[in-house]
Amino acid sequence: IAGRRSGTDIEVFLWGVQQFPADEKDRRKALQIALENIRHKVYSSGTEVSIGIFSPEINIRQVILPKMKKESDLRQALVYKNQTDLQNYDENAVWSYESISEFEKDGTAYCRLLVTTAPAEVVNYYAQVFERAAIELKNIYPRPAAIHSAYQRMMRQPQNDLLINVAYDLTQMCYFRNSNLSFIRNVSIGSRNLEVTIHSRKDQDDASPAKLEKDDKQLSNENPSLLRGRLINKIEDLKHKQNPVLDTFLSEILRSITFIQGSNEKQQIKRI
């Protein structure tokens, strides 16, 4: 996706998909060739390049610690938490944190932090591939961080919102509480599985383009309070099809919603 800056806004002026060359079996080399093709078509001097990556080894979680005056003490405490909580953490890991909120309990002040940790080899892998393709890389974002950034731009009045990001190989559910990322869950069902499942159904008339377009227009014209009800009805309709993939997809979404809303009475989801 290529964008142009206009004041504080970014306008998308070009987008596309660059597939890896099928005859190249080395994944790193294939990625490098794909990037070189993009560079020749899009890249020019002065272009700022940022990438969003997914890796199951990237860990994003909330950590609660007693409030500390010195940042050095806080970082030392987070290093200890990383070493204690994460199996793959070592001294070379790349990590950062963001303070989300502060609260008091039993007379003690606490801070709630969002901590992101990634193995150095995961970050270095992408950095080296871009370097070989002669592309200067400005930022590397874990996918949830990119979703969070987009969410903050899209939602003028953040509430308790659940974003369901259906990617190619997986679906990622991100729960935002007052614009802060509070919960992440990955489900190994993506658009690839869903499209194959939907197009293989015998009753394809239900998914015809004309009907989908009509449903989309009807949904867009309804107010938010009715939209959620119609979404639940559509999901329930899929459930009655008794399709294993769709059933699993539904169950995982509802399970996540139940977990989020059941863990704290203040975490009732307002929008999906």
Side-chain angles (χ1 to χ4, degrees):
I1 301 174
R4 289 193 188 98
R5 291 185 183 274
S6 176
T8 58
D9 296 329
I10 299 176
E11 172 198 2
V12 174
F13 75 91
L14 186 66
W15 69 274
V17 176
Q18 175 65 63
Q19 294 185 335
F20 285 12
D23 56 346
E24 179 55 63
K25 303 304 179 185
D26 184 289
R27 182 175 177 83
R28 182 173 298 201
K29 182 64 176 176
L31 176 55
Q32 183 180 337
I33 293 172
L35 287 174
E36 289 172 351
N37 290 336
I38 294 174
R39 178 168 61 85
H40 290 307
K41 296 175 183 176
V42 181
Y43 186 76
S44 62
S45 179
T47 302
E48 294 182 0
V49 179
S50 301
I51 62 166
I53 64 173
F54 170 78
S55 169
E57 295 180 276
I58 295 176
N59 185 281
I60 301 178
R61 71 199 195 284
Q62 280 196 22
V63 173
I64 296 176
L65 292 174
K67 187 177 180 180
M68 303 177 192
K69 293 183 178 179
K70 294 183 178 180
E71 185 178 355
S72 58
D73 291 341
L74 179 60
R75 290 189 67 87
Q76 187 174 354
L78 287 173
V79 168
Y80 177 77
K81 284 289 291 181
N82 288 338
Q83 292 172 338
T84 304
D85 298 346
L86 305 177
Q87 292 182 347
N88 297 327
Y89 180 83
D90 60 34
E91 60 183 10
N92 296 319
V94 180
W95 66 279
S96 63
Y97 70 91
E98 177 185 356
S99 178
I100 297 177
S101 62
E102 298 180 0
F103 63 95
E104 188 172 309
K105 184 177 180 181
D106 298 331
T108 302
Y110 292 89
C111 57
R112 182 178 283 105
L113 308 157
L114 191 67
V115 183
T116 303
T117 311
E121 55 267 26
V122 173
V123 177
N124 292 337
Y125 169 84
Y126 285 95
Q128 290 170 7
V129 170
F130 274 80
E131 184 178 1
R132 290 195 184 98
I135 298 177
E136 182 180 352
L137 189 59
K138 184 179 180 182
N139 294 304
I140 299 178
Y141 292 101
R143 184 180 291 168
I147 294 174
H148 188 197
S149 178
Y151 166 79
Q152 289 180 315
R153 286 178 174 271
M154 289 189 298
M155 309 306 290
R156 295 178 182 271
Q157 295 179 320
Q159 299 181 41
N160 290 5
D161 303 321
L162 179 67
L163 268 67
I164 303 176
N165 179 38
V166 184
Y168 184 69
D169 283 320
L170 80 157
T171 294
Q172 194 161 54
M173 284 169 277
C174 298
Y175 171 65
F176 297 93
R177 183 181 176 189
N178 297 326
S179 83
N180 294 314
L181 184 58
S182 179
F183 171 85
I184 300 172
R185 184 152 184 264
N186 298 320
V187 177
S188 56
I189 297 176
S191 61
R192 176 174 58 88
N193 314 79
L194 294 173
E195 286 178 4
V196 170
T197 299
I198 291 171
H199 288 297
S200 64
R201 281 177 17 206
K202 293 181 180 179
D203 52 340
Q204 291 190 15
D205 289 342
D206 287 347
S208 65
K211 185 177 186 302
L212 289 176
E213 183 179 356
K214 179 180 177 183
D215 286 351
D216 289 343
K217 287 181 178 178
Q218 187 173 352
L219 277 173
S220 64
N221 290 332
E222 292 181 353
N223 63 51
S225 62
L226 295 178
L227 192 146
R228 187 174 185 276
R230 281 185 53 78
L231 175 63
I232 296 299
N233 289 338
K234 279 180 170 291
I235 293 177
E236 287 294 334
D237 182 57
L238 292 177
K239 182 178 180 181
H240 293 313
K241 304 292 184 184
Q242 296 300 314
N243 185 292
V245 175
L246 295 176
D247 282 356
T248 303
F249 187 62
L250 161 70
S251 298
E252 294 302 327
I253 291 175
L254 295 182
R255 183 181 300 174
S256 298
I257 292 174
T258 300
F259 175 80
I260 293 167
Q261 300 194 144
S263 58
N264 189 324
E265 62 180 11
K266 296 181 180 180
Q267 293 192 164
Q268 299 305 302
I269 295 171
K270 302 296 184 183
R271 295 180 296 202
I272 299 176

